[in-house]
Amino acid sequence: MIHPFAIRKGFVVLVGLFLLVVAGNAKAEDDRLRVTKVQTDFVAKTLTITVSDLEETHHLPSPKVRLAGSPLVVVNSVVNNIAHTGVITANLPSPVPTGSFLLQVAWGKDEDDREHTFSLALGLVGPQGPQGPAGSQGPQGATGPQGPQGPVGPQGPAGSSSGGAPFVWVCTPAVFPMSGSNPRADLYVFNGSSTTANVAVHVLDEHGTNLAGVTIPGSTPPTTYPGQTGSSTVSVLSLNTLVVTWVFPQDSPEGGSNISHTVTVTADQPVVVGSDFQWSGPYKPLPCSLLPK
């Protein structure tokens, strides 16, 4: 006959063993591995799978990986015993499938449950998301060094007041009012350029009529005004002086016809013009000026 104390003692031992088994199973459930990250290399056609909650003493050295139920070839696996994590490298099938698949990982026992699985999308591109808000403007950067000086640009066209050809000189007045004689008039055109100048001298009346070839009023013997007509010119060599001589008209009574008032000199090279309009009276005007453009 078994002593009642022994029966109670055996019951306690059985209860203790049952609790130990239950506790061990609960711990095993808590320590199941988890897939935390999967990286796809489409060039190498591999998956790099990171798992956690590894217990190195409870797992076999070779993990198993399935994609949509089909096994993948595991080419490498590394365990971090301190962190209880692991990294698995597995080959993808060729060609790489496109779609969303269930990735299953077993390390230590060949069974599938929710903690061994991971939803994996291959070759899928989602729609473009909305544009994010513009960021705040950053601070202004430091001023850069000054760049090198650029080349000299081409010369621009001559302006309206540049003084280019044609060069027009004006000598006025070219008359002695109420004159009863024909005093001498001399005009000097100096070509200061290095090339030959084409020059036109025009003696004009008060209305701008060119008097070249017209008889000078009161001249004895009768002579005509000098100068060129139309577009004709005379050539003046470089550093040469053209001298034009004639007599002034008699202007008495005043207001007669064919009376000179102004002399113009037009040249295609820079020239200087001077006049010597002689008079025996108290004055002797010598006005010649370059006409502004």
Side-chain angles (χ1 to χ4, degrees):
M1 182 175 182
I2 301 175
H3 195 278
F5 175 75
I7 294 175
R8 291 195 297 270
K9 183 177 181 182
F11 176 77
V12 172
V13 172
L14 291 175
V15 172
L17 291 173
F18 176 78
L19 292 176
L20 181 61
V21 172
V22 172
N25 290 338
K27 184 178 186 304
E29 291 296 326
D30 292 340
D31 288 342
R32 288 174 181 171
L33 64 87
R34 290 176 173 81
V35 178
T36 59
K37 183 172 66 174
V38 178
Q39 291 179 305
T40 305
D41 187 335
F42 288 98
V43 177
K45 296 182 179 180
T46 60
L47 291 178
T48 301
I49 307 165
T50 302
V51 299
S52 65
D53 296 336
L54 280 177
E55 184 64 46
E56 68 275 10
T57 60
H58 292 168
H59 292 81
L60 297 177
S62 179
K64 296 179 182 180
V65 180
R66 293 184 180 88
L67 182 65
S70 299
L72 301 181
V73 177
V74 176
V75 295
N76 189 36
S77 61
V78 179
V79 175
N80 186 330
N81 292 326
I82 298 176
H84 300 283
T85 60
V87 178
I88 305 169
T89 303
N91 288 335
L92 284 168
S94 183
V96 177
T98 300
S100 183
F101 304 96
L102 182 66
L103 179 70
Q104 299 166 292
V105 178
W107 204 336
K109 51 185 175 180
D110 191 8
E111 63 179 60
D112 299 328
D113 55 45
R114 62 181 180 84
E115 294 176 322
H116 294 77
T117 61
F118 192 89
S119 182
L120 177 65
L122 295 175
L124 298 178
V125 179
Q128 183 175 355
Q131 181 175 353
S136 58
Q137 183 175 356
Q140 182 175 353
T143 303
Q146 182 176 356
Q149 182 175 353
V152 178
Q155 183 175 354
S160 59
S161 300
S162 62
F167 302 93
V168 180
W169 284 78
V170 178
C171 306
T172 190
V175 62
F176 293 128
M178 300 298 294
S179 170
S181 62
N182 299 98
R184 176 170 170 164
D186 294 293
L187 185 75
Y188 303 91
V189 181
F190 173 72
N191 178 14
S193 71
S194 59
T195 59
T196 299
N198 297 304
V199 177
V201 176
H202 295 158
V203 180
L204 308 177
D205 67 9
E206 61 179 324
H207 304 294
T209 302
N210 187 358
L211 299 176
V214 175
T215 300
I216 300 173
S219 59
T220 305
T223 57
T224 60
Y225 286 106
Q228 285 69 49
T229 59
S231 60
S232 62
T233 60
V234 294
S235 298
V236 181
L237 298 178
S238 173
L239 303 181
N240 277 227
T241 300
L242 171 66
V243 180
V244 181
T245 301
W246 73 100
V247 296
F248 271 6
Q250 294 184 19
D251 188 28
S252 180
E254 187 178 10
S257 61
N258 298 328
I259 303 300
S260 62
H261 281 72
T262 300
V263 179
T264 65
V265 179
T266 304
D268 61 357
Q269 300 296 328
V271 296
V272 177
V273 179
S275 64
D276 185 9
F277 297 159
Q278 302 176 20
W279 177 251
S280 59
Y283 59 91
K284 186 178 182 182
L286 303 171
C288 286
S289 302
L290 181 64
L291 183 67
K293 291 184 178 293

